[in-house]
Amino acid sequence: MKSLFKIGGFTPYILIVFLNAMTDLGHKIILQNTIFKAYTGADLIILTAIVNALILLPFIFLFSPAGFLSDKYPKVQIIRIASLAAVGITVLILFAYIMGWFWAAFGLTFILAAQSAIYSPAKYGLIKEMVGNEKLTEANAMVQTMTIISILAGAVLYSLFFEHLLADQSTDKSQILQYIYPVGFVLIAASVVEFLLSLRLIKTVEIKKGMQFKPKKYANLTYLRGNLRVIKRNQTVWLSIIGLAVFWGISQLVVAVFGDYLKETMNVTNTVVAQGILALSGVGIIAGSLFVGRVSHRYIETGIIPLGALGITLSLFMVTTLDSLWMLGLFFFFYGFFSGLFIVPLNTLIQFATPKRMMGKVLAGSNFVQNVSMFGFLILSAWFAAVGFSSTALFWVAMIIALLGFLYTLTQLPQSLVRFIVRFLFGLKYRVDVDGLDNIKANRGVLLLGNHISFLDWAFLQIAYPKQIRFVIDRNYYNLWYFKPVLQFFGAIPISIRGGRNALSLVAEALSQGETVALFPEGHLSRNGHMDKFQKGFELAVKGVTNAVIVPFYLRGLWEGGFSHASAKLQRKKLNDIGVTFGKPMPIQSSAEAVKSAVFRLSINSFESYGKRLDTLPKAWLKEAKQVGANLCIADSTEVELSGYRFITAVLLMANTFKPRFKRVENIGLIVPTSAGGAIANMAVLTLGKTIVNLNYSSGTESLKHAIALADIRHIISSRQFVTKLKTKGFDLDEVLAGVEVIYLEDIKASMSKLSQLVMFLQARLLPAWILSMFYVKHRNIDDTAAILFSSGSEGSPKGIELTHQNIMGNIKQITTVLNPRDTDVMLGTLPIFHSFGLTVSTLL
């Protein structure tokens, strides 16, 4: 979530959210605490319900004007005006406190709420303008978290002020306000700072001059009916709004009866205790919101909604069975946690599925429905209290309604719940990185087309995608008795080579109805991890389809899994970094060639992103060498044969010998043969965090001297035997080596005692790779230079090319996929290490 604060205007925006909630909440807490002190029984429930209802009424009646203002005028401008108005309102509230005018202060809640009603659609509508779709879940989780933090801080701080200033000196409502009037100055200060922060928001949208608000249409409910039609148009939006409305209605009922419940069942009269327990539900919502933000990283998780509804139901049931304040607080925390699981995905779905031009109307409509629901629940709780229902009985009413809500979400989102469970199980093993979610069209049919590398492609594609996907499945698999019920449940479309016409018509029908269909145009699993020809069958399916687009996708990382055609050796790597990248929408009539080209471009972006998370070369080597263990790792023509453990031993011993010599230099030259010694020397230098520069000894004296000077090389690692052998072949390096310190491998080997070799070998064998890495591998960033390669100089002076750890590691990963090595394969290194292929493939790979 740190990246959110790098978005222009988001930092002052999130502070405004905090202060706005603190201002609105502060006055409400003072009134609720005053009622809590001055009243008991039914009067306490009824007055608590009324004060909350007064807050809701403006949101109901100003529904249409607020939505109009948010759509017509820049949302930033509305926020500034509304926050300035809050300064004046809080001044009036302070005056009412000083004078002890309880009912005037009571009425001012309506005025303050009216300001918030105008403010709200602009405040929440601004989120999508700032962060887009990809960070929408995270931003909503952050906003929800900050709102709840302000509620927690306000509930506790205002109650502490209240108890301290009152000190139980009176239970008369007017006198109570006079005792606690200094709190009014806090409300004014918060609203002033809020206004000043609003001046720092970035204005992003111009005024829409063509829009006009007509009071007559507002009065005869034309706007209301029209806006309700807008939010009902999209079933996802409408059901999300209904779910939020029921939740907030239940929450209002719980707040209305909680004070009397505490007094009646536990004899608690301290407002700090009462507000503190309610605040624990806020802590739970923070935890739940952050949990949703984590499990929904860069996608929208809807399967968590039924789980949240079930948790709310169980928490409310447990509350009615407790007689301990500590346990009561614990289950109010659980109530909040599951509430976060419920409301964050619903808010995100509303914003995701709504075009920006309609955002104000939809959010205002959502506020209207939710506030009507809350108002209704408050009236219901007041009426039940008036006819003699106890607070415990009203908790049971809330629990039963929550249970009905859970059963409804279960019937509406059974596939989402199953997807969440699958996603959770896969998430225990895999990291799924999703990119391009902003390219998904929420209000049109989508045909997903991409590469096919694993039998699990469908699972990870669905994990990444925010809506239900209907997959086109080979009929031979579809008809298997153990697959068929599951595939039918998820609406899969069976297809066969002989009878594909019906399947194609089903694809066209689904796309026309705004659904998402996915198929793999290659028609088979990849045999080498790379893309094959895209077949043209989908072109026939979309003939006549208009209201749909093609969204290309690329899957990365599943080739190394156990469900692909990769070799057993690669499958044992058990890599857990999976990438799903969605491209920009393409016309529905796009050709197979155009789609494949788009998917290929996505693969480049995906590997670039993946490369930034790879280990550096020495860390990756150390893990691999530990896996090789006692088996043969490397051999050469001098009859040297080293296991993985012995190779580690040689590298780390050599690195320890080099370390004091290389403290003040960065680039280390190497003139070494293509041998075990050459590989060991290169890796030893890399473990020290230095840059390897393998010099082309065949390029001539002048070229070598030029390369040494250009790379500022002061030390060269070589072998006496190798230098002598080169001289017999006409490559005399005496002049080249004269100006630098030469470190000969024979001298290094001779300086290693038997004891040091034994100690290092035991470490290599017994210590895990991460500990060895911590002790012996210098930390480097993946984008630091690992090697410099020089051109031959055939077209002038040699040119140095700097290669980062990411460059080389990325090439190694890609070439490994192409080679698909088996356990019996042996790589023969014949190219010199100064050669790009000799270094990258036949040495480091």
Side-chain angles (χ1 to χ4, degrees):
M1 289 190 176
K2 291 180 181 178
S3 60
L4 289 172
F5 291 100
K6 297 178 182 178
I7 297 172
F10 192 79
T11 301
Y13 169 81
I14 206 72
L15 292 173
I16 286 171
V17 169
F18 176 81
L19 291 169
N20 178 249
M22 283 286 285
T23 304
D24 294 348
L25 175 72
H27 181 54
K28 175 185 172 184
I29 291 293
I30 295 303
L31 285 180
Q32 283 186 335
N33 286 347
T34 302
I35 294 167
F36 184 73
K37 289 287 188 182
Y39 296 93
T40 58
D43 290 340
L44 172 55
I45 296 175
I46 291 168
L47 281 173
T48 303
I50 290 174
V51 75
N52 282 285
L54 281 175
I55 295 170
L56 296 174
L57 279 173
F59 285 91
I60 296 172
F61 289 115
L62 295 177
F63 150 63
S64 294
F68 168 80
L69 289 171
S70 181
D71 281 340
K72 178 176 174 66
Y73 298 101
K75 296 174 178 62
V76 172
Q77 183 177 331
I78 297 169
I79 290 173
R80 288 172 183 167
I81 294 171
S83 57
L84 181 61
V87 177
I89 298 169
T90 51
V91 170
L92 293 176
I93 288 172
L94 171 63
F95 187 69
Y97 289 171
I98 294 172
M99 300 304 295
W101 294 344
F102 175 79
W103 296 111
F106 206 84
L108 282 169
T109 58
F110 179 86
I111 306 298
L112 190 61
Q115 175 261 354
S116 291
I118 297 296
Y119 192 100
S120 185
K123 180 175 71 175
Y124 285 101
L126 193 61
I127 297 175
K128 189 172 182 177
E129 289 184 10
M130 286 193 294
V131 306
N133 279 338
E134 286 196 355
K135 293 184 179 293
L136 201 51
T137 295
E138 292 179 83
N140 273 282
M142 176 62 75
V143 170
Q144 190 70 55
T145 300
M146 188 56 67
T147 302
I148 300 306
I149 288 174
S150 65
I151 291 173
L152 296 178
V156 175
L157 289 175
Y158 287 125
S159 295
L160 285 170
F161 282 138
F162 185 92
E163 289 289 340
H164 175 72
L165 293 169
L166 182 60
D168 289 329
Q169 297 181 65
S170 175
T171 57
D172 178 77
K173 55 185 179 295
S174 297
Q175 290 181 352
I176 290 173
L177 289 182
Q178 289 178 318
Y179 280 119
I180 58 87
Y181 82 88
V183 178
F185 289 109
V186 179
L187 300 179
I188 294 172
S191 59
V192 169
V193 175
E194 179 188 348
F195 171 69
L196 294 176
L197 285 170
S198 72
L199 300 178
R200 297 184 59 189
L201 291 176
I202 299 171
K203 185 175 177 180
T204 55
V205 180
E206 298 299 322
I207 296 173
K208 296 174 184 173
K209 298 179 180 179
M211 293 183 65
Q212 293 183 347
F213 184 79
K214 298 180 180 180
K216 184 177 180 180
K217 288 186 176 182
Y218 170 63
N220 63 19
L221 304 183
T222 300
Y223 283 133
L224 175 60
R225 291 192 296 268
N227 287 338
L228 288 177
R229 281 197 297 271
V230 168
I231 62 177
K232 286 182 177 179
R233 194 176 298 163
N234 187 311
Q235 188 183 27
T236 300
V237 171
W238 176 242
L239 291 177
S240 299
I241 289 172
I242 293 298
L244 289 170
V246 173
F247 165 76
W248 288 116
I250 292 172
S251 296
Q252 286 294 315
L253 192 155
V254 170
V255 170
V257 305
F258 181 67
D260 183 61
Y261 179 80
L262 269 184
K263 277 190 170 183
E264 290 297 320
T265 61
M266 298 185 183
N267 198 30
V268 174
T269 59
N270 189 300
T271 59
V272 176
V273 175
Q275 295 295 345
I277 292 175
L278 285 175
L280 284 173
S281 66
V283 175
I285 291 180
I286 291 175
S289 299
L290 293 174
F291 178 78
V292 172
R294 184 173 181 83
V295 301
S296 302
H297 179 63
R298 305 191 84 171
Y299 54 79
I300 302 170
E301 178 55 80
T302 56
I304 208 169
I305 297 171
L307 184 63
L310 177 61
I312 291 170
T313 304
L314 295 176
S315 300
L316 289 174
F317 169 74
M318 291 302 300
V319 164
T320 61
T321 66
L322 303 172
D323 56 5
S324 163
L325 280 176
W326 292 105
M327 292 301 295
L328 187 65
L330 177 64
F331 277 95
F332 260 86
F333 171 82
F334 287 143
Y335 173 78
F337 179 82
F338 288 108
S339 298
L341 268 57
F342 187 78
I343 61 179
V344 171
L346 290 181
N347 276 320
T348 305
L349 277 175
I350 292 171
Q351 295 172 50
F352 175 79
T354 302
K356 286 183 181 180
R357 60 187 176 84
M358 306 294 292
M359 188 64 71
K361 287 183 180 179
V362 170
L363 291 180
S366 175
N367 282 340
F368 175 80
V369 174
Q370 291 173 42
N371 285 299
V372 167
S373 172
M374 289 189 284
F375 187 81
F377 272 83
L378 288 169
I379 297 301
L380 184 69
S381 60
W383 180 74
F384 278 162
V387 300
F389 271 63
S390 68
S391 52
T392 302
L394 287 171
F395 262 111
W396 274 89
V397 170
M399 185 203 70
I400 292 169
I401 295 171
L403 177 61
L404 294 174
F406 162 67
L407 294 174
Y408 181 76
T409 58
L410 193 60
T411 60
Q412 293 295 315
L413 298 168
Q415 295 165 332
S416 295
L417 182 59
V418 173
R419 290 203 316 269
F420 172 70
I421 294 171
V422 171
R423 182 176 290 154
F424 177 78
L425 294 175
F426 275 92
L428 295 175
K429 183 178 180 181
Y430 298 99
R431 168 202 165 105
V432 183
D433 188 63
V434 183
D435 193 26
L437 196 61
D438 206 35
N439 295 319
I440 304 300
K441 294 298 180 182
N443 57 347
R444 303 179 74 178
V446 173
L447 178 60
L448 294 172
L449 300 174
N451 61 323
H452 194 17
I453 53 177
S454 164
F455 285 110
L456 291 182
D457 288 349
W458 64 273
F460 286 95
L461 189 59
Q462 183 62 87
I463 283 171
Y465 196 76
K467 299 190 296 182
Q468 175 64 38
I469 300 175
R470 297 187 64 184
F471 287 91
V472 178
I473 302 290
D474 188 301
R475 188 175 292 278
N476 293 326
Y477 291 111
Y478 184 91
N479 287 333
L480 294 173
W481 67 268
Y482 43 85
F483 280 155
K484 193 168 186 177
V486 177
L487 295 174
Q488 286 179 331
F489 175 73
F490 284 106
I493 300 172
I495 192 170
S496 63
I497 298 175
R498 295 180 179 178
R501 191 173 299 276
N502 182 54
L504 296 180
S505 65
L506 290 175
V507 170
E509 181 183 348
L511 292 173
S512 298
Q513 292 175 354
E515 296 183 82
T516 297
V517 178
L519 60 83
F520 301 101
E522 291 168 282
H524 59 82
L525 281 183
S526 172
R527 292 286 173 177
N528 59 7
H530 291 261
M531 284 185 291
D532 202 346
K533 179 181 179 181
F534 277 23
Q535 305 300 321
K536 298 187 176 184
F538 73 87
E539 295 179 10
L540 300 175
V542 298
K543 283 186 176 179
V545 176
T546 55
N547 188 33
V549 293
I550 290 173
V551 173
F553 67 84
Y554 180 76
L555 294 165
R556 175 197 48 74
L558 287 165
W559 174 249
E560 292 87 352
F563 295 88
S564 69
H565 288 310
S567 66
K569 182 180 182 69
L570 278 186
Q571 289 182 1
R572 285 199 304 275
K573 298 295 181 187
K574 297 179 180 178
L575 300 182
N576 60 2
D577 192 319
I578 310 301
V580 184
T581 306
F582 297 103
K584 293 185 180 299
M586 303 175 65
I588 193 63
Q589 305 299 335
S590 297
S591 67
E593 291 81 4
V595 174
K596 181 181 178 181
S597 177
V599 174
F600 183 78
R601 288 193 297 272
L602 292 178
S603 71
I604 298 172
N605 297 332
S606 180
F607 266 97
E608 184 177 358
S609 174
Y610 172 56
K612 295 175 182 177
R613 297 192 299 276
L614 292 171
D615 286 324
T616 55
L617 284 162
K619 288 186 177 181
W621 154 73
L622 201 48
K623 290 178 182 178
E624 182 68 22
K626 284 288 291 184
Q627 289 181 10
V628 174
N631 296 321
L632 179 64
C633 173
I634 192 168
D636 64 23
S637 58
T638 64
E639 299 184 358
V640 171
E641 293 187 2
L642 298 176
S643 67
Y645 294 138
R646 291 192 175 279
F647 193 85
I648 294 173
T649 302
V651 169
L652 298 185
L653 280 173
M654 188 175 290
N656 284 346
T657 306
F658 289 157
K659 192 173 183 178
R661 305 188 187 201
F662 296 164
K663 279 185 177 180
R664 294 180 177 83
V665 293
E666 184 63 32
N667 302 332
I668 308 299
L670 295 104
I671 300 178
V672 291
T674 305
S675 63
I680 291 169
N682 272 271
M683 194 54 66
V685 173
L686 287 170
T687 61
L688 295 174
K690 305 302 180 181
T691 300
I692 53 174
V693 188
N694 285 277
L695 297 167
N696 183 354
Y697 43 79
S698 66
S699 62
T701 300
E702 292 305 315
S703 291
L704 275 172
K705 291 172 69 175
H706 173 79
I708 291 170
L710 192 62
D712 190 24
I713 294 172
R714 303 173 195 174
H715 302 80
I716 290 179
I717 299 169
S718 190
S719 160
R720 283 195 175 88
Q721 184 180 356
F722 185 57
V723 170
T724 301
K725 189 175 181 179
L726 288 176
K727 186 177 291 188
T728 62
K729 294 186 176 183
F731 301 113
D732 190 344
L733 301 180
D734 290 344
E735 185 180 346
V736 173
L737 301 177
V740 294
E741 180 185 351
V742 183
I743 303 168
Y744 291 106
L745 295 178
E746 292 88 346
D747 297 341
I748 296 297
K749 184 177 180 181
S751 68
M752 298 176 185
S753 67
K754 296 290 185 181
L755 179 60
S756 65
Q757 293 180 47
L758 176 61
V759 171
M760 187 62 76
F761 178 79
L762 291 174
Q763 291 183 67
R765 191 175 187 97
L766 299 177
L767 295 180
W770 68 271
I771 292 182
L772 287 170
S773 181
M774 182 174 64
F775 286 161
Y776 294 108
V777 177
K778 176 75 172 178
H779 173 73
R780 279 290 179 262
N781 295 320
I782 191 69
D783 55 358
D784 287 341
T785 302
I788 298 175
L789 294 181
F790 278 93
S791 61
S792 62
S794 58
E795 297 178 358
S797 298
K799 299 174 181 64
I801 299 93
E802 294 183 274
L803 297 175
T804 66
H805 290 270
Q806 181 181 345
N807 293 146
I808 299 174
M809 284 295 296
N811 282 341
I812 287 173
K813 292 289 183 182
Q814 291 168 315
I815 296 170
T816 302
T817 302
V818 175
L819 295 178
N820 197 19
R822 294 169 297 177
D823 289 311
T824 55
D825 287 342
V826 174
M827 182 175 289
L828 180 62
T830 57
L831 287 171
I833 301 179
F834 62 72
H835 190 281
S836 59
F837 197 89
L839 174 67
T840 304
V841 179
S842 59
T843 302
L844 295 177
L845 185 150

